[in-house]
PDB file of all heavy atoms in Angstrom:
ATOM      1  N   GLY A   1      99.536 -74.409-117.942  1.00 44.00           N
ATOM      2  CA  GLY A   1      98.995 -73.390-117.040  1.00 44.00           C
ATOM      3  C   GLY A   1      97.874 -73.925-116.178  1.00 44.00           C
ATOM      4  O   GLY A   1      97.807 -73.677-114.981  1.00 44.00           O
ATOM      5  N   LEU A   2      96.980 -74.686-116.762  1.00 41.00           N
ATOM      6  CA  LEU A   2      95.873 -75.282-116.005  1.00 41.00           C
ATOM      7  C   LEU A   2      96.373 -76.297-114.986  1.00 41.00           C
ATOM      8  O   LEU A   2      95.887 -76.360-113.860  1.00 41.00           O
ATOM      9  CB  LEU A   2      94.867 -75.942-116.949  1.00 41.00           C
ATOM     10  CG  LEU A   2      94.026 -74.999-117.791  1.00 41.00           C
ATOM     11  CD1 LEU A   2      93.199 -75.789-118.810  1.00 41.00           C
ATOM     12  CD2 LEU A   2      93.120 -74.162-116.906  1.00 41.00           C
ATOM     13  N   LEU A   3      97.328 -77.105-115.351  1.00 41.00           N
ATOM     14  CA  LEU A   3      97.886 -78.083-114.414  1.00 41.00           C
ATOM     15  C   LEU A   3      98.558 -77.395-113.236  1.00 41.00           C
ATOM     16  O   LEU A   3      98.395 -77.804-112.090  1.00 41.00           O
ATOM     17  CB  LEU A   3      98.884 -79.003-115.124  1.00 41.00           C
ATOM     18  CG  LEU A   3      98.274 -80.029-116.071  1.00 41.00           C
ATOM     19  CD1 LEU A   3      99.364 -80.759-116.838  1.00 41.00           C
ATOM     20  CD2 LEU A   3      97.417 -81.018-115.307  1.00 41.00           C
ATOM     21  N   LEU A   4      99.320 -76.345-113.488  1.00 41.00           N
ATOM     22  CA  LEU A   4      99.984 -75.628-112.402  1.00 41.00           C
ATOM     23  C   LEU A   4      98.973 -74.948-111.494  1.00 41.00           C
ATOM     24  O   LEU A   4      99.096 -74.989-110.271  1.00 41.00           O
ATOM     25  CB  LEU A   4     100.963 -74.593-112.963  1.00 41.00           C
ATOM     26  CG  LEU A   4     102.233 -75.157-113.598  1.00 41.00           C
ATOM     27  CD1 LEU A   4     103.043 -74.039-114.234  1.00 41.00           C
ATOM     28  CD2 LEU A   4     103.059 -75.913-112.582  1.00 41.00           C
ATOM     29  N   ALA A   5      97.960 -74.336-112.047  1.00 44.00           N
ATOM     30  CA  ALA A   5      96.940 -73.662-111.241  1.00 44.00           C
ATOM     31  C   ALA A   5      96.186 -74.662-110.383  1.00 44.00           C
ATOM     32  O   ALA A   5      95.912 -74.425-109.210  1.00 44.00           O
ATOM     33  CB  ALA A   5      95.975 -72.891-112.139  1.00 44.00           C
ATOM     34  N   GLY A   6      95.855 -75.796-110.953  1.00 46.00           N
ATOM     35  CA  GLY A   6      95.119 -76.814-110.212  1.00 46.00           C
ATOM     36  C   GLY A   6      95.933 -77.447-109.107  1.00 46.00           C
ATOM     37  O   GLY A   6      95.414 -77.819-108.070  1.00 46.00           O
ATOM     38  N   SER A   7      97.230 -77.565-109.280  1.00 44.00           N
ATOM     39  CA  SER A   7      98.034 -78.247-108.274  1.00 44.00           C
ATOM     40  C   SER A   7      98.447 -77.345-107.123  1.00 44.00           C
ATOM     41  O   SER A   7      98.810 -77.833-106.068  1.00 44.00           O
ATOM     42  CB  SER A   7      99.279 -78.860-108.922  1.00 44.00           C
ATOM     43  OG  SER A   7     100.118 -77.840-109.411  1.00 44.00           O
ATOM     44  N   THR A   8      98.410 -76.034-107.290  1.00 47.00           N
ATOM     45  CA  THR A   8      98.865 -75.148-106.222  1.00 47.00           C
ATOM     46  C   THR A   8      97.755 -74.361-105.562  1.00 47.00           C
ATOM     47  O   THR A   8      97.901 -73.932-104.437  1.00 47.00           O
ATOM     48  CB  THR A   8      99.903 -74.142-106.766  1.00 47.00           C
ATOM     49  OG1 THR A   8      99.289 -73.387-107.805  1.00 47.00           O
ATOM     50  CG2 THR A   8     101.149 -74.850-107.265  1.00 47.00           C
ATOM     51  N   GLY A   9      96.623 -74.171-106.226  1.00 50.00           N
ATOM     52  CA  GLY A   9      95.624 -73.263-105.697  1.00 50.00           C
ATOM     53  C   GLY A   9      94.495 -73.901-104.894  1.00 50.00           C
ATOM     54  O   GLY A   9      93.758 -73.212-104.230  1.00 50.00           O
ATOM     55  N   CYS A  10      94.329 -75.184-104.950  1.00 60.00           N
ATOM     56  CA  CYS A  10      93.184 -75.809-104.309  1.00 60.00           C
ATOM     57  C   CYS A  10      93.623 -76.744-103.192  1.00 60.00           C
ATOM     58  O   CYS A  10      94.409 -77.660-103.423  1.00 60.00           O
ATOM     59  CB  CYS A  10      92.372 -76.609-105.330  1.00 60.00           C
ATOM     60  SG  CYS A  10      91.722 -75.576-106.653  1.00 60.00           S
ATOM     61  N   ALA A  11      93.114 -76.510-102.011  1.00 69.00           N
ATOM     62  CA  ALA A  11      93.414 -77.397-100.884  1.00 69.00           C
ATOM     63  C   ALA A  11      92.348 -78.483-100.815  1.00 69.00           C
ATOM     64  O   ALA A  11      91.193 -78.272-101.156  1.00 69.00           O
ATOM     65  CB  ALA A  11      93.430 -76.589 -99.585  1.00 69.00           C
ATOM     66  N   ALA A  12      92.755 -79.635-100.368  1.00 82.00           N
ATOM     67  CA  ALA A  12      91.814 -80.748-100.221  1.00 82.00           C
ATOM     68  C   ALA A  12      90.870 -80.469 -99.062  1.00 82.00           C
ATOM     69  O   ALA A  12      91.217 -79.774 -98.108  1.00 82.00           O
ATOM     70  CB  ALA A  12      92.586 -82.032 -99.975  1.00 82.00           C
ATOM     71  N   ALA A  13      89.667 -81.013 -99.139  1.00 86.00           N
ATOM     72  CA  ALA A  13      88.692 -80.858 -98.046  1.00 86.00           C
ATOM     73  C   ALA A  13      89.221 -81.556 -96.798  1.00 86.00           C
ATOM     74  O   ALA A  13      89.795 -82.637 -96.886  1.00 86.00           O
ATOM     75  CB  ALA A  13      87.353 -81.459 -98.457  1.00 86.00           C
ATOM     76  N   PRO A  14      89.048 -80.951 -95.633  1.00 90.00           N
ATOM     77  CA  PRO A  14      89.537 -81.572 -94.409  1.00 90.00           C
ATOM     78  C   PRO A  14      88.681 -82.775 -94.010  1.00 90.00           C
ATOM     79  O   PRO A  14      87.509 -82.858 -94.345  1.00 90.00           O
ATOM     80  CB  PRO A  14      89.404 -80.454 -93.376  1.00 90.00           C
ATOM     81  CG  PRO A  14      88.272 -79.626 -93.877  1.00 90.00           C
ATOM     82  CD  PRO A  14      88.385 -79.675 -95.381  1.00 90.00           C
ATOM     83  N   SER A  15      89.285 -83.689 -93.298  1.00 93.00           N
ATOM     84  CA  SER A  15      88.571 -84.819 -92.711  1.00 93.00           C
ATOM     85  C   SER A  15      88.349 -84.480 -91.240  1.00 93.00           C
ATOM     86  O   SER A  15      89.302 -84.423 -90.461  1.00 93.00           O
ATOM     87  CB  SER A  15      89.400 -86.089 -92.852  1.00 93.00           C
ATOM     88  OG  SER A  15      88.831 -87.125 -92.090  1.00 93.00           O
ATOM     89  N   ILE A  16      87.102 -84.216 -90.860  1.00 94.00           N
ATOM     90  CA  ILE A  16      86.774 -83.784 -89.496  1.00 94.00           C
ATOM     91  C   ILE A  16      86.034 -84.905 -88.785  1.00 94.00           C
ATOM     92  O   ILE A  16      85.091 -85.476 -89.330  1.00 94.00           O
ATOM     93  CB  ILE A  16      85.894 -82.521 -89.526  1.00 94.00           C
ATOM     94  CG1 ILE A  16      86.619 -81.398 -90.276  1.00 94.00           C
ATOM     95  CG2 ILE A  16      85.522 -82.101 -88.111  1.00 94.00           C
ATOM     96  CD1 ILE A  16      85.741 -80.242 -90.637  1.00 94.00           C
ATOM     97  N   ARG A  17      86.472 -85.185 -87.578  1.00 96.00           N
ATOM     98  CA  ARG A  17      85.820 -86.227 -86.777  1.00 96.00           C
ATOM     99  C   ARG A  17      85.617 -85.697 -85.370  1.00 96.00           C
ATOM    100  O   ARG A  17      86.528 -85.158 -84.758  1.00 96.00           O
ATOM    101  CB  ARG A  17      86.699 -87.467 -86.744  1.00 96.00           C
ATOM    102  CG  ARG A  17      86.005 -88.700 -86.260  1.00 96.00           C
ATOM    103  CD  ARG A  17      86.864 -89.903 -86.497  1.00 96.00           C
ATOM    104  NE  ARG A  17      88.019 -89.855 -85.622  1.00 96.00           N
ATOM    105  CZ  ARG A  17      88.466 -90.891 -84.927  1.00 96.00           C
ATOM    106  NH1 ARG A  17      87.890 -92.053 -85.022  1.00 96.00           N
ATOM    107  NH2 ARG A  17      89.507 -90.758 -84.154  1.00 96.00           N
ATOM    108  N   VAL A  18      84.392 -85.825 -84.855  1.00 96.00           N
ATOM    109  CA  VAL A  18      84.068 -85.464 -83.475  1.00 96.00           C
ATOM    110  C   VAL A  18      83.744 -86.756 -82.737  1.00 96.00           C
ATOM    111  O   VAL A  18      82.932 -87.554 -83.209  1.00 96.00           O
ATOM    112  CB  VAL A  18      82.860 -84.497 -83.420  1.00 96.00           C
ATOM    113  CG1 VAL A  18      82.370 -84.334 -81.998  1.00 96.00           C
ATOM    114  CG2 VAL A  18      83.221 -83.160 -84.023  1.00 96.00           C
ATOM    115  N   VAL A  19      84.387 -86.948 -81.585  1.00 97.00           N
ATOM    116  CA  VAL A  19      84.180 -88.152 -80.788  1.00 97.00           C
ATOM    117  C   VAL A  19      83.877 -87.741 -79.354  1.00 97.00           C
ATOM    118  O   VAL A  19      84.567 -86.889 -78.791  1.00 97.00           O
ATOM    119  CB  VAL A  19      85.450 -89.044 -80.792  1.00 97.00           C
ATOM    120  CG1 VAL A  19      85.249 -90.264 -79.919  1.00 97.00           C
ATOM    121  CG2 VAL A  19      85.813 -89.444 -82.200  1.00 97.00           C
ATOM    122  N   VAL A  20      82.840 -88.337 -78.773  1.00 97.00           N
ATOM    123  CA  VAL A  20      82.557 -88.175 -77.340  1.00 97.00           C
ATOM    124  C   VAL A  20      82.556 -89.587 -76.771  1.00 97.00           C
ATOM    125  O   VAL A  20      81.817 -90.451 -77.232  1.00 97.00           O
ATOM    126  CB  VAL A  20      81.198 -87.483 -77.077  1.00 97.00           C
ATOM    127  CG1 VAL A  20      80.941 -87.382 -75.580  1.00 97.00           C
ATOM    128  CG2 VAL A  20      81.161 -86.110 -77.729  1.00 97.00           C
ATOM    129  N   GLU A  21      83.412 -89.799 -75.776  1.00 96.00           N
ATOM    130  CA  GLU A  21      83.540 -91.135 -75.216  1.00 96.00           C
ATOM    131  C   GLU A  21      83.823 -91.060 -73.718  1.00 96.00           C
ATOM    132  O   GLU A  21      84.172 -90.014 -73.205  1.00 96.00           O
ATOM    133  CB  GLU A  21      84.656 -91.910 -75.921  1.00 96.00           C
ATOM    134  CG  GLU A  21      86.003 -91.220 -75.843  1.00 96.00           C
ATOM    135  CD  GLU A  21      87.044 -91.834 -76.761  1.00 96.00           C
ATOM    136  OE1 GLU A  21      86.717 -92.771 -77.507  1.00 96.00           O
ATOM    137  OE2 GLU A  21      88.184 -91.368 -76.728  1.00 96.00           O
ATOM    138  N   GLY A  22      83.654 -92.168 -73.058  1.00 95.00           N
ATOM    139  CA  GLY A  22      83.930 -92.256 -71.637  1.00 95.00           C
ATOM    140  C   GLY A  22      82.945 -93.189 -70.961  1.00 95.00           C
ATOM    141  O   GLY A  22      82.140 -93.861 -71.617  1.00 95.00           O
ATOM    142  N   THR A  23      83.003 -93.194 -69.643  1.00 93.00           N
ATOM    143  CA  THR A  23      82.144 -94.100 -68.876  1.00 93.00           C
ATOM    144  C   THR A  23      80.803 -93.480 -68.538  1.00 93.00           C
ATOM    145  O   THR A  23      79.944 -94.149 -67.974  1.00 93.00           O
ATOM    146  CB  THR A  23      82.851 -94.492 -67.572  1.00 93.00           C
ATOM    147  OG1 THR A  23      83.159 -93.300 -66.841  1.00 93.00           O
ATOM    148  CG2 THR A  23      84.133 -95.257 -67.856  1.00 93.00           C
ATOM    149  N   GLY A  24      80.606 -92.208 -68.861  1.00 93.00           N
ATOM    150  CA  GLY A  24      79.396 -91.502 -68.481  1.00 93.00           C
ATOM    151  C   GLY A  24      78.313 -91.470 -69.529  1.00 93.00           C
ATOM    152  O   GLY A  24      78.410 -92.083 -70.594  1.00 93.00           O
ATOM    153  N   THR A  25      77.272 -90.711 -69.202  1.00 94.00           N
ATOM    154  CA  THR A  25      76.145 -90.469 -70.104  1.00 94.00           C
ATOM    155  C   THR A  25      75.828 -88.977 -70.063  1.00 94.00           C
ATOM    156  O   THR A  25      76.325 -88.249 -69.204  1.00 94.00           O
ATOM    157  CB  THR A  25      74.892 -91.251 -69.660  1.00 94.00           C
ATOM    158  OG1 THR A  25      74.518 -90.819 -68.348  1.00 94.00           O
ATOM    159  CG2 THR A  25      75.143 -92.747 -69.655  1.00 94.00           C
TER     160      THR A  25
END
């Protein structure tokens, strides 16, 4: 029961990346 609950109920934390790029300032 614990294995089934753990494998279906919890989503992994997202990997978030913010990038600002270009030739400007």
Side-chain angles (χ1 to χ4, degrees):
L2 289 173
L3 287 173
L4 288 174
S7 65
T8 59
C10 299
S15 170
I16 302 167
R17 195 170 69 135
V18 169
V19 178
V20 178
E21 58 191 3
T23 57
T25 61

